Amino acid sequence: MSYTLINPATEEAMETIEALDVEAVDAAVEKARGAQVAWAGLNPADRAMLLRRFADAVDGDREHLAELEVRNSGHPIGNARWEAEHVRNVLEYYAATPERLFGKQIPVAGGLDVTFQEPLGVVGVITPWNFPMTIASWGFAPALAAGNAVVLKPAEWTPLTSLRLAELGLEAGLPEGLFQVLTGKGSVVGNRFVTNPTVRKVVFTGSTEVGKQIMAGCADQVKRVTLELGGKSANIVFADADVAKAATTAPSSVFDNSGQDCCARSRILVQRSVFDEFMQHFETAVTSLNVGDPTQSTTDMGPLVSRAHHDAVSAYVDADTPVAFRGTAPEGPGFWFAPTVVTPESRTDRCMTEEIFGPVVAVVPFEDEADAVSLANATEFGLSGSIWTRDVARAIRVARGVESGNLSVNSHSSVRYNTPFGGFKQSGLGRELGPDAHLAFTETKNVFIPTTEQD
Ligand code: NAD
Protein backbone atom coordinates (compact mmCIF):
# COMPACT_ATOMS: atom_id res chain seq x y z
CA MET A 1 0.00 0.00 0.00
CA SER A 2 1.14 3.51 -0.69
CA TYR A 3 -0.22 7.06 -0.76
CA THR A 4 0.72 10.38 -2.35
CA LEU A 5 1.75 13.55 -0.52
CA ILE A 6 0.29 16.93 -1.50
CA ASN A 7 2.17 20.24 -1.36
CA PRO A 8 -0.10 22.38 0.86
CA ALA A 9 0.86 25.67 -0.83
CA THR A 10 0.22 24.51 -4.41
CA GLU A 11 -1.93 21.35 -4.06
CA GLU A 12 0.51 19.58 -6.42
CA ALA A 13 1.07 15.86 -5.95
CA MET A 14 4.54 14.99 -4.64
CA GLU A 15 6.30 11.82 -3.43
CA THR A 16 4.57 8.48 -2.98
CA ILE A 17 4.99 7.02 0.49
CA GLU A 18 4.76 3.40 1.59
CA ALA A 19 2.15 2.51 4.22
CA LEU A 20 3.71 -0.34 6.20
CA ASP A 21 1.72 -3.23 7.66
CA VAL A 22 2.00 -4.87 11.08
CA GLU A 23 4.41 -7.57 9.85
CA ALA A 24 6.80 -4.93 8.52
CA VAL A 25 6.64 -3.08 11.84
CA ASP A 26 7.38 -6.25 13.79
CA ALA A 27 10.37 -7.02 11.55
CA ALA A 28 11.73 -3.49 12.07
CA VAL A 29 11.27 -3.73 15.83
CA GLU A 30 13.16 -7.04 15.90
CA LYS A 31 16.00 -5.47 13.93
CA ALA A 32 15.98 -2.50 16.29
CA ARG A 33 16.24 -4.80 19.29
CA GLY A 34 19.39 -6.43 17.89
CA ALA A 35 20.93 -3.06 17.11
CA GLN A 36 20.07 -1.74 20.57
CA VAL A 37 21.92 -4.50 22.38
CA ALA A 38 25.08 -3.76 20.39
CA TRP A 39 24.62 0.03 20.80
CA ALA A 40 24.24 -0.18 24.58
CA GLY A 41 27.40 -2.32 24.70
CA LEU A 42 29.51 0.30 22.91
CA ASN A 43 31.98 2.45 24.78
CA PRO A 44 30.06 5.60 25.94
CA ALA A 45 32.61 7.85 24.24
CA ASP A 46 31.98 6.09 20.92
CA ARG A 47 28.20 6.52 21.28
CA ALA A 48 28.76 10.20 22.04
CA MET A 49 31.02 10.59 19.01
CA LEU A 50 28.45 8.97 16.69
CA LEU A 51 25.72 11.28 17.98
CA ARG A 52 27.98 14.29 17.40
CA ARG A 53 28.59 13.03 13.86
CA PHE A 54 24.82 12.71 13.42
CA ALA A 55 24.48 16.36 14.57
CA ASP A 56 27.19 17.35 12.05
CA ALA A 57 25.38 15.50 9.25
CA VAL A 58 22.17 17.38 10.08
CA ASP A 59 24.14 20.60 10.16
CA GLY A 60 25.45 19.97 6.66
CA ASP A 61 21.94 19.20 5.39
CA ARG A 62 20.07 22.07 7.09
CA GLU A 63 19.06 23.91 3.93
CA HIS A 64 17.86 20.70 2.29
CA LEU A 65 15.85 19.69 5.37
CA ALA A 66 14.31 23.16 5.51
CA GLU A 67 13.32 23.00 1.84
CA LEU A 68 11.74 19.57 2.37
CA GLU A 69 9.63 21.01 5.23
CA VAL A 70 8.53 23.94 3.08
CA ARG A 71 7.32 21.59 0.33
CA ASN A 72 5.82 18.94 2.58
CA SER A 73 4.30 21.04 5.40
CA GLY A 74 4.01 24.57 3.98
CA HIS A 75 6.21 26.08 6.70
CA PRO A 76 7.71 29.46 5.77
CA ILE A 77 11.37 28.94 4.87
CA GLY A 78 12.56 31.14 7.77
CA ASN A 79 10.72 28.91 10.25
CA ALA A 80 11.89 25.72 8.56
CA ARG A 81 15.53 26.85 8.76
CA TRP A 82 15.11 27.42 12.50
CA GLU A 83 13.59 23.93 12.82
CA ALA A 84 16.50 22.21 11.04
CA GLU A 85 19.00 24.08 13.20
CA HIS A 86 17.00 23.12 16.30
CA VAL A 87 17.28 19.41 15.39
CA ARG A 88 21.05 19.83 15.10
CA ASN A 89 21.12 21.55 18.51
CA VAL A 90 19.01 18.85 20.15
CA LEU A 91 21.36 16.14 18.85
CA GLU A 92 24.45 18.05 19.91
CA TYR A 93 23.01 18.67 23.40
CA TYR A 94 22.15 15.00 24.03
CA ALA A 95 25.43 13.81 22.50
CA ALA A 96 26.89 14.77 25.89
CA THR A 97 24.63 12.24 27.63
CA PRO A 98 26.37 8.89 27.09
CA GLU A 99 29.45 10.06 28.98
CA ARG A 100 27.37 11.72 31.72
CA LEU A 101 24.71 9.10 32.38
CA PHE A 102 25.55 9.11 36.07
CA GLY A 103 24.02 6.93 38.73
CA LYS A 104 24.23 7.60 42.47
CA GLN A 105 26.25 6.20 45.31
CA ILE A 106 23.94 5.99 48.30
CA PRO A 107 25.21 5.69 51.88
CA VAL A 108 23.91 2.45 53.41
CA ALA A 109 25.09 0.16 56.20
CA GLY A 110 27.38 -2.78 55.43
CA GLY A 111 28.37 -2.12 51.86
CA LEU A 112 28.34 -0.09 48.70
CA ASP A 113 25.03 0.90 47.12
CA VAL A 114 24.99 2.28 43.60
CA THR A 115 22.35 3.01 40.99
CA PHE A 116 22.60 2.58 37.22
CA GLN A 117 20.44 4.24 34.55
CA GLU A 118 19.76 1.33 32.22
CA PRO A 119 18.32 1.81 28.72
CA LEU A 120 14.75 0.62 28.16
CA GLY A 121 15.41 -1.20 24.87
CA VAL A 122 13.35 -0.22 21.81
CA VAL A 123 11.44 3.07 22.03
CA GLY A 124 8.55 3.95 19.69
CA VAL A 125 8.15 7.63 18.85
CA ILE A 126 4.89 8.78 17.21
CA THR A 127 4.83 12.35 15.87
CA PRO A 128 2.19 14.79 14.59
CA TRP A 129 2.31 16.77 11.35
CA ASN A 130 2.72 20.28 12.75
CA PHE A 131 6.45 20.27 13.59
CA PRO A 132 7.61 17.01 12.03
CA MET A 133 11.38 17.16 12.45
CA THR A 134 11.72 19.09 15.69
CA ILE A 135 9.26 16.95 17.65
CA ALA A 136 10.83 13.76 16.26
CA SER A 137 14.23 14.90 17.56
CA TRP A 138 12.88 15.52 21.07
CA GLY A 139 12.14 11.80 21.19
CA PHE A 140 14.92 10.13 19.23
CA ALA A 141 17.91 12.19 20.39
CA PRO A 142 17.64 11.61 24.18
CA ALA A 143 16.39 8.04 23.63
CA LEU A 144 19.41 7.11 21.49
CA ALA A 145 21.72 8.96 23.88
CA ALA A 146 20.46 6.85 26.79
CA GLY A 147 21.34 3.65 24.91
CA ASN A 148 18.01 2.79 23.27
CA ALA A 149 17.00 2.02 19.68
CA VAL A 150 14.21 4.11 18.14
CA VAL A 151 11.44 3.33 15.70
CA LEU A 152 9.79 6.58 14.58
CA LYS A 153 6.36 6.88 13.00
CA PRO A 154 5.86 10.29 11.40
CA ALA A 155 2.37 11.66 10.69
CA GLU A 156 0.95 10.41 7.39
CA TRP A 157 0.99 13.84 5.73
CA THR A 158 4.51 14.93 6.68
CA PRO A 159 7.11 12.12 6.65
CA LEU A 160 9.79 13.65 4.39
CA THR A 161 12.10 15.29 6.92
CA SER A 162 11.91 12.27 9.26
CA LEU A 163 12.88 9.93 6.39
CA ARG A 164 15.79 12.22 5.55
CA LEU A 165 16.94 12.30 9.20
CA ALA A 166 17.10 8.49 9.25
CA GLU A 167 19.32 8.60 6.12
CA LEU A 168 21.56 11.20 7.76
CA GLY A 169 21.88 9.01 10.87
CA LEU A 170 23.09 6.11 8.74
CA GLU A 171 25.47 8.35 6.78
CA ALA A 172 26.89 9.54 10.11
CA GLY A 173 27.66 5.96 11.10
CA LEU A 174 24.78 4.99 13.37
CA PRO A 175 24.43 1.19 13.31
CA GLU A 176 21.92 -0.23 10.82
CA GLY A 177 18.50 -0.69 12.45
CA LEU A 178 19.20 1.57 15.44
CA PHE A 179 17.07 4.46 14.20
CA GLN A 180 14.34 3.54 11.72
CA VAL A 181 11.49 5.61 10.31
CA LEU A 182 8.35 3.56 9.66
CA THR A 183 5.74 5.28 7.53
CA GLY A 184 2.03 4.49 7.42
CA LYS A 185 -1.18 4.80 9.33
CA GLY A 186 -1.45 5.63 12.99
CA SER A 187 -4.01 2.90 13.53
CA VAL A 188 -1.58 0.32 12.05
CA VAL A 189 2.05 1.37 12.57
CA GLY A 190 1.53 3.61 15.63
CA ASN A 191 -0.83 1.16 17.25
CA ARG A 192 1.66 -1.68 16.78
CA PHE A 193 4.20 0.30 18.85
CA VAL A 194 1.61 0.13 21.62
CA THR A 195 0.88 -3.60 21.28
CA ASN A 196 4.30 -5.04 20.36
CA PRO A 197 5.89 -6.09 23.70
CA THR A 198 9.45 -5.51 22.44
CA VAL A 199 8.70 -1.79 22.28
CA ARG A 200 9.24 -0.75 25.90
CA LYS A 201 8.14 2.86 25.72
CA VAL A 202 5.89 4.99 23.50
CA VAL A 203 6.52 8.70 23.13
CA PHE A 204 3.41 10.20 21.61
CA THR A 205 2.82 13.76 20.45
CA GLY A 206 -0.56 14.52 18.97
CA SER A 207 -4.19 15.02 19.85
CA THR A 208 -5.49 14.46 23.37
CA GLU A 209 -8.06 12.03 21.97
CA VAL A 210 -5.48 9.67 20.43
CA GLY A 211 -3.14 10.22 23.40
CA LYS A 212 -5.76 8.81 25.75
CA GLN A 213 -6.12 5.70 23.55
CA ILE A 214 -2.34 5.23 23.55
CA MET A 215 -2.17 5.57 27.33
CA ALA A 216 -4.98 3.05 27.79
CA GLY A 217 -3.30 0.64 25.34
CA CYS A 218 0.08 0.95 27.05
CA ALA A 219 -1.53 0.10 30.40
CA ASP A 220 -2.00 -3.46 29.18
CA GLN A 221 1.77 -4.06 29.28
CA VAL A 222 2.53 -1.38 31.88
CA LYS A 223 4.44 0.18 29.01
CA ARG A 224 6.17 3.49 29.72
CA VAL A 225 4.57 6.45 28.00
CA THR A 226 5.24 10.14 27.47
CA LEU A 227 2.38 12.22 26.10
CA GLU A 228 2.56 15.69 24.54
CA LEU A 229 -1.01 16.63 23.70
CA GLY A 230 -3.24 19.59 22.93
CA GLY A 231 -3.32 23.14 24.24
CA LYS A 232 -5.53 26.21 24.59
CA SER A 233 -3.03 28.60 26.07
CA ALA A 234 -3.67 32.08 27.43
CA ASN A 235 -1.82 35.29 26.66
CA ILE A 236 -2.67 37.54 29.64
CA VAL A 237 -2.26 41.30 29.18
CA PHE A 238 -2.55 43.46 32.30
CA ALA A 239 -3.32 47.18 32.11
CA ASP A 240 0.12 48.06 33.54
CA ALA A 241 1.93 46.26 30.67
CA ASP A 242 3.53 47.75 27.57
CA VAL A 243 0.21 47.25 25.78
CA ALA A 244 1.52 48.23 22.35
CA LYS A 245 4.33 45.68 22.58
CA ALA A 246 1.98 42.99 23.88
CA ALA A 247 -0.34 43.63 20.92
CA THR A 248 2.29 43.83 18.20
CA THR A 249 3.98 40.61 19.34
CA ALA A 250 0.71 38.70 19.88
CA PRO A 251 0.34 37.57 16.21
CA SER A 252 3.56 35.56 16.34
CA SER A 253 2.39 33.85 19.54
CA VAL A 254 -0.73 32.45 17.91
CA PHE A 255 -0.36 32.63 14.12
CA ASP A 256 3.14 31.20 13.89
CA ASN A 257 2.99 28.00 11.82
CA SER A 258 -0.55 29.10 10.84
CA GLY A 259 -1.73 28.47 14.39
CA GLN A 260 -0.87 24.78 14.03
CA ASP A 261 1.13 24.91 17.22
CA CYS A 262 0.33 23.15 20.48
CA CYS A 263 1.75 26.21 22.29
CA ALA A 264 -0.37 28.74 20.36
CA ARG A 265 -1.67 31.42 22.71
CA SER A 266 -5.13 31.08 21.18
CA ARG A 267 -6.93 32.91 24.00
CA ILE A 268 -5.88 36.50 24.59
CA LEU A 269 -7.13 37.81 27.92
CA VAL A 270 -6.91 41.61 28.16
CA GLN A 271 -7.68 43.73 31.23
CA ARG A 272 -10.89 45.62 30.45
CA SER A 273 -9.45 49.14 30.88
CA VAL A 274 -6.93 48.60 28.01
CA PHE A 275 -9.04 46.30 25.81
CA ASP A 276 -9.75 48.88 23.08
CA GLU A 277 -6.15 50.14 23.05
CA PHE A 278 -4.92 46.55 22.69
CA MET A 279 -7.34 45.77 19.85
CA GLN A 280 -6.27 48.86 17.86
CA HIS A 281 -2.60 47.86 17.91
CA PHE A 282 -3.47 44.20 17.37
CA GLU A 283 -5.51 44.95 14.25
CA THR A 284 -2.61 46.83 12.67
CA ALA A 285 -0.27 43.93 13.46
CA VAL A 286 -2.62 41.21 12.16
CA THR A 287 -3.54 42.97 8.93
CA SER A 288 0.11 43.60 8.11
CA LEU A 289 1.10 39.93 8.42
CA ASN A 290 2.56 38.62 5.20
CA VAL A 291 0.59 35.45 4.41
CA GLY A 292 1.68 33.65 1.25
CA ASP A 293 4.34 31.69 -0.60
CA PRO A 294 6.31 29.74 2.04
CA THR A 295 9.42 29.57 -0.15
CA GLN A 296 9.94 33.33 0.36
CA SER A 297 11.97 34.46 3.37
CA THR A 298 9.69 37.50 3.80
CA THR A 299 6.64 35.29 4.45
CA ASP A 300 5.24 35.26 8.01
CA MET A 301 2.56 32.62 7.56
CA GLY A 302 2.01 29.82 5.05
CA PRO A 303 -1.00 27.60 4.31
CA LEU A 304 -2.69 25.01 6.52
CA VAL A 305 -1.29 21.52 6.14
CA SER A 306 -4.10 19.79 4.21
CA ARG A 307 -7.56 20.10 2.72
CA ALA A 308 -9.05 18.04 5.58
CA HIS A 309 -7.47 20.29 8.19
CA HIS A 310 -8.58 23.39 6.28
CA ASP A 311 -12.15 22.09 6.46
CA ALA A 312 -11.84 21.43 10.21
CA VAL A 313 -10.53 24.95 10.95
CA SER A 314 -13.10 26.58 8.63
CA ALA A 315 -15.90 24.95 10.66
CA TYR A 316 -15.04 27.34 13.54
CA VAL A 317 -15.68 30.47 11.48
CA ASP A 318 -19.22 30.74 10.11
CA ALA A 319 -21.81 33.49 9.68
CA ASP A 320 -22.56 33.54 13.45
CA THR A 321 -18.93 33.83 14.56
CA PRO A 322 -18.18 37.26 16.12
CA VAL A 323 -15.21 38.11 13.88
CA ALA A 324 -13.54 41.38 14.91
CA PHE A 325 -11.11 41.51 11.97
CA ARG A 326 -9.06 39.28 9.68
CA GLY A 327 -5.73 39.45 7.94
CA THR A 328 -5.17 38.52 4.32
CA ALA A 329 -4.59 35.23 2.49
CA PRO A 330 -3.82 34.38 -1.15
CA GLU A 331 -6.53 33.25 -3.58
CA GLY A 332 -6.17 30.16 -5.76
CA PRO A 333 -4.64 26.75 -5.09
CA GLY A 334 -3.30 25.99 -1.60
CA PHE A 335 -4.95 25.52 1.78
CA TRP A 336 -5.00 29.22 2.72
CA PHE A 337 -6.76 30.62 5.76
CA ALA A 338 -6.54 34.29 6.74
CA PRO A 339 -5.54 35.06 10.35
CA THR A 340 -8.82 35.59 12.17
CA VAL A 341 -9.59 37.45 15.41
CA VAL A 342 -12.87 36.72 17.22
CA THR A 343 -14.39 38.39 20.28
CA PRO A 344 -16.81 35.91 21.85
CA GLU A 345 -19.50 37.22 24.23
CA SER A 346 -19.39 34.09 26.31
CA ARG A 347 -16.36 32.61 28.05
CA THR A 348 -17.67 29.16 27.23
CA ASP A 349 -17.89 29.81 23.47
CA ARG A 350 -16.19 26.91 21.64
CA CYS A 351 -13.55 29.34 20.30
CA MET A 352 -12.58 29.80 23.97
CA THR A 353 -12.60 26.14 24.96
CA GLU A 354 -11.62 23.98 21.95
CA GLU A 355 -8.20 23.67 20.36
CA ILE A 356 -8.80 24.94 16.81
CA PHE A 357 -5.20 24.37 15.69
CA GLY A 358 -5.44 27.04 13.02
CA PRO A 359 -5.05 30.84 12.76
CA VAL A 360 -8.10 31.75 14.85
CA VAL A 361 -7.69 33.62 18.14
CA ALA A 362 -10.31 34.64 20.72
CA VAL A 363 -9.82 37.90 22.63
CA VAL A 364 -11.86 38.55 25.79
CA PRO A 365 -11.68 41.12 28.63
CA PHE A 366 -11.00 40.32 32.29
CA GLU A 367 -11.50 42.39 35.45
CA ASP A 368 -8.61 41.80 37.88
CA GLU A 369 -5.72 39.45 38.68
CA ALA A 370 -7.89 36.78 40.29
CA ASP A 371 -10.27 36.84 37.32
CA ALA A 372 -7.34 36.54 34.87
CA VAL A 373 -5.89 33.48 36.62
CA SER A 374 -9.25 31.80 36.94
CA LEU A 375 -10.05 32.42 33.26
CA ALA A 376 -6.61 31.20 32.16
CA ASN A 377 -7.20 27.99 34.13
CA ALA A 378 -10.74 27.46 32.81
CA THR A 379 -9.58 24.80 30.35
CA GLU A 380 -8.78 21.10 30.41
CA PHE A 381 -5.38 21.95 28.89
CA GLY A 382 -2.22 23.46 30.44
CA LEU A 383 0.67 23.66 28.02
CA SER A 384 1.92 27.19 27.56
CA GLY A 385 1.12 30.87 28.06
CA SER A 386 2.36 34.45 28.35
CA ILE A 387 1.97 37.14 31.03
CA TRP A 388 2.35 40.84 30.23
CA THR A 389 2.82 43.21 33.18
CA ARG A 390 5.42 45.67 34.49
CA ASP A 391 4.81 44.47 38.06
CA VAL A 392 7.41 41.78 38.83
CA ALA A 393 5.60 40.48 41.89
CA ARG A 394 2.39 40.11 39.90
CA ALA A 395 4.27 38.34 37.09
CA ILE A 396 5.55 35.79 39.60
CA ARG A 397 2.19 35.38 41.37
CA VAL A 398 0.37 34.83 38.09
CA ALA A 399 3.06 32.50 36.72
CA ARG A 400 2.72 30.38 39.86
CA GLY A 401 -1.08 30.50 39.64
CA VAL A 402 -1.52 29.46 36.02
CA GLU A 403 -1.72 25.67 35.65
CA SER A 404 0.61 25.31 32.71
CA GLY A 405 3.97 23.72 31.95
CA ASN A 406 5.64 26.57 30.01
CA LEU A 407 5.10 30.26 30.67
CA SER A 408 6.92 33.39 29.59
CA VAL A 409 6.74 36.91 30.98
CA ASN A 410 6.66 39.95 28.66
CA SER A 411 7.66 37.62 25.83
CA HIS A 412 6.39 34.58 23.94
CA SER A 413 9.33 32.28 24.34
CA SER A 414 9.36 29.32 22.02
CA VAL A 415 10.65 25.90 22.90
CA ARG A 416 14.33 25.70 23.91
CA TYR A 417 16.26 22.46 23.67
CA ASN A 418 17.92 23.07 27.04
CA THR A 419 14.80 23.69 29.16
CA PRO A 420 12.04 21.20 30.06
CA PHE A 421 8.86 21.17 27.99
CA GLY A 422 5.51 19.53 28.64
CA GLY A 423 1.98 19.96 29.85
CA PHE A 424 -0.20 20.11 32.95
CA LYS A 425 -3.65 18.47 33.01
CA GLN A 426 -4.77 17.01 29.66
CA SER A 427 -1.89 18.62 27.77
CA GLY A 428 0.31 15.67 28.58
CA LEU A 429 2.31 13.45 30.83
CA GLY A 430 6.06 13.70 31.40
CA ARG A 431 8.57 16.25 30.13
CA GLU A 432 10.78 16.41 27.06
CA LEU A 433 13.96 18.40 26.42
CA GLY A 434 16.12 20.06 29.07
CA PRO A 435 18.79 18.53 31.28
CA ASP A 436 16.78 15.49 32.43
CA ALA A 437 14.96 14.26 29.33
CA HIS A 438 17.28 11.31 28.74
CA LEU A 439 16.37 9.92 32.17
CA ALA A 440 12.84 9.29 30.91
CA PHE A 441 14.42 6.72 28.55
CA THR A 442 16.06 4.73 31.35
CA GLU A 443 15.14 2.51 34.29
CA THR A 444 16.88 3.11 37.60
CA LYS A 445 18.60 -0.04 38.82
CA ASN A 446 19.83 -0.30 42.39
CA VAL A 447 22.77 -2.60 43.21
CA PHE A 448 24.08 -3.42 46.71
CA ILE A 449 27.55 -4.94 47.23
CA PRO A 450 28.37 -5.97 50.82
CA THR A 451 31.71 -4.96 52.31
CA THR A 452 31.06 -6.74 55.58
CA GLU A 453 29.66 -10.17 56.44
CA GLN A 454 25.83 -10.06 55.94
CA ASP A 455 23.31 -11.85 58.18
P1 NAD B 1 -3.12 12.96 15.85
O1 NAD B 1 -3.39 12.56 17.26
O2 NAD B 1 -4.21 12.81 14.86
O3 NAD B 1 -1.90 12.13 15.26
C1 NAD B 1 -0.63 12.14 15.86
C2 NAD B 1 0.13 10.91 15.43
O4 NAD B 1 -0.52 9.76 15.98
C3 NAD B 1 0.18 10.67 13.93
O5 NAD B 1 1.45 10.14 13.58
C4 NAD B 1 -0.91 9.63 13.72
O6 NAD B 1 -0.67 8.85 12.57
C5 NAD B 1 -0.77 8.80 14.97
N1 NAD B 1 -1.96 8.03 15.34
C6 NAD B 1 -3.25 8.29 15.02
N2 NAD B 1 -4.06 7.34 15.53
C7 NAD B 1 -3.26 6.46 16.19
C8 NAD B 1 -3.52 5.27 16.95
N3 NAD B 1 -4.73 4.79 17.12
N4 NAD B 1 -2.46 4.63 17.51
C9 NAD B 1 -1.20 5.13 17.37
N5 NAD B 1 -0.92 6.23 16.65
C10 NAD B 1 -1.93 6.91 16.08
O7 NAD B 1 -2.59 14.46 15.94
P2 NAD B 1 -2.21 15.45 14.74
O8 NAD B 1 -3.49 15.92 14.14
O9 NAD B 1 -1.17 14.83 13.87
O10 NAD B 1 -1.50 16.65 15.54
C11 NAD B 1 -2.17 17.69 16.09
C12 NAD B 1 -2.29 17.55 17.59
O11 NAD B 1 -0.99 17.38 18.17
C13 NAD B 1 -2.84 18.78 18.28
O12 NAD B 1 -3.79 18.41 19.26
C14 NAD B 1 -1.63 19.40 18.95
O13 NAD B 1 -1.91 20.19 20.07
C15 NAD B 1 -0.85 18.20 19.31
N6 NAD B 1 0.55 18.56 19.53
C16 NAD B 1 1.05 18.59 20.80
C17 NAD B 1 2.37 18.96 21.03
C18 NAD B 1 2.95 19.01 22.41
O14 NAD B 1 4.17 18.99 22.52
N7 NAD B 1 2.16 19.04 23.46
C19 NAD B 1 3.18 19.30 19.95
C20 NAD B 1 2.63 19.27 18.67
C21 NAD B 1 1.32 18.88 18.48
Side-chain angles (χ1 to χ4, degrees):
M1 275 252 301
S2 62
Y3 62 98
T4 303
L5 302 177
I6 305 290
N7 180 326
T10 62
E11 298 188 48
E12 282 162 5
M14 308 193 302
E15 284 83 339
T16 297
I17 300 293
E18 204 180 349
L20 299 178
D21 59 18
V22 167
E23 289 69 35
V25 176
D26 285 349
V29 168
E30 241 355 86
K31 197 168 157 191
R33 178 66 186 144
Q36 188 269 325
V37 173
W39 175 244
L42 276 186
N43 173 345
D46 288 341
R47 275 190 275 137
M49 180 196 62
L50 286 167
L51 290 171
R52 282 196 296 272
R53 282 196 188 152
F54 190 4
D56 289 346
V58 171
D59 194 54
D61 203 58
R62 274 188 292 150
E63 193 60 20
H64 176 227
L65 283 165
E67 281 164 11
L68 279 179
E69 208 65 277
V70 172
R71 280 205 305 126
N72 193 178
S73 310
H75 292 192
I77 183 71
N79 294 32
R81 285 185 179 128
W82 182 91
E83 289 159 28
E85 188 178 341
H86 178 82
V87 174
R88 190 272 315 272
N89 292 342
V90 171
L91 272 166
E92 213 168 57
Y93 184 69
Y94 290 106
T97 294
E99 294 176 281
R100 293 174 175 80
L101 198 51
F102 305 118
K104 289 184 173 138
Q105 179 268 314
I106 299 171
V108 294
L112 174 70
D113 194 283
V114 287
T115 64
F116 295 90
Q117 296 305 135
E118 304 286 12
L120 300 173
V122 179
V123 172
V125 177
I126 303 173
T127 56
W129 46 259
N130 62 329
F131 288 109
M133 64 176 142
T134 55
I135 291 175
S137 72
W138 304 351
F140 72 70
L144 292 173
N148 301 282
V150 172
V151 283
L152 165 65
K153 196 213 89 67
E156 286 89 320
W157 294 333
T158 56
L160 293 185
T161 47
S162 295
L163 288 164
R164 179 65 187 143
L165 286 170
E167 286 172 5
L168 291 169
L170 277 179
E171 282 171 22
L174 286 190
E176 187 88 30
L178 186 73
F179 172 39
Q180 301 173 66
V181 173
L182 310 180
T183 50
K185 287 183 137 194
S187 56
V188 178
V189 180
N191 187 53
R192 190 59 187 146
F193 291 0
V194 175
T195 58
N196 183 320
T198 304
V199 177
R200 294 289 176 80
K201 172 164 186 163
V202 174
V203 178
F204 172 81
T205 306
S207 60
T208 297
E209 187 191 347
V210 176
K212 287 177 184 175
Q213 290 170 31
I214 303 248
M215 190 175 177
C218 285
D220 199 41
Q221 296 168 17
V222 197
K223 189 171 289 198
R224 277 64 180 141
V225 64
T226 295
L227 302 173
E228 296 286 2
L229 309 175
K232 190 73 190 174
S233 298
N235 177 7
I236 309 172
V237 183
F238 285 96
D240 68 357
D242 181 340
V243 175
K245 189 168 176 200
T248 50
T249 57
S252 69
S253 79
V254 58
F255 298 139
D256 192 58
N257 204 27
S258 308
Q260 304 166 123
D261 183 343
C262 52
C263 289
R265 277 71 160 172
S266 54
R267 294 180 299 150
I268 306 182
L269 320 182
V270 185
Q271 197 153 16
R272 195 178 290 282
S273 59
V274 292
F275 191 85
D276 292 343
E277 181 190 348
F278 178 89
M279 288 301 266
Q280 261 173 20
H281 291 295
F282 192 38
E283 181 164 8
T284 308
V286 171
T287 50
S288 56
L289 279 179
N290 187 1
V291 181
D293 182 357
T295 64
Q296 300 301 308
S297 54
T298 49
T299 295
D300 298 314
M301 196 180 112
L304 292 171
V305 73
S306 68
R307 170 65 58 205
H309 190 56
H310 187 275
D311 291 347
V313 173
S314 303
Y316 282 91
V317 183
D318 58 25
D320 298 329
T321 309
V323 173
F325 46 85
R326 301 189 81 171
T328 60
E331 303 280 331
F335 309 125
W336 303 103
F337 198 95
T340 302
V341 178
V342 302
T343 47
E345 284 292 316
S346 159
R347 293 179 170 195
T348 55
D349 186 286
R350 64 189 182 136
C351 287
M352 283 290 287
T353 57
E354 294 176 24
E355 183 186 43
I356 301 173
F357 222 56
V360 181
V361 67
V363 194
V364 295
F366 69 83
E367 307 306 331
D368 55 18
E369 189 178 314
D371 188 34
V373 172
S374 130
L375 184 52
N377 288 339
T379 166
E380 69 204 22
F381 299 115
L383 191 56
S384 152
S386 301
I387 300 155
W388 291 81
T389 174
R390 287 191 170 98
D391 179 340
V392 178
R394 166 178 283 159
I396 294 168
R397 279 195 306 274
V398 175
R400 296 299 303 269
V402 174
E403 298 163 338
S404 172
N406 310 271
L407 291 161
S408 57
V409 174
N410 296 329
S411 57
H412 304 292
S413 74
S414 62
V415 171
R416 294 187 188 84
Y417 62 85
N418 43 11
T419 59
F421 176 75
F424 278 34
K425 302 194 280 187
Q426 294 193 32
S427 282
L429 189 70
R431 291 292 178 273
E432 297 190 294
L433 298 174
D436 303 323
H438 54 278
L439 296 177
F441 295 98
T442 65
E443 293 286 5
T444 301
K445 181 183 285 174
N446 191 70
V447 177
F448 173 71
I449 308 153
T451 51
T452 57
E453 206 60 40
Q454 301 290 300
D455 294 333

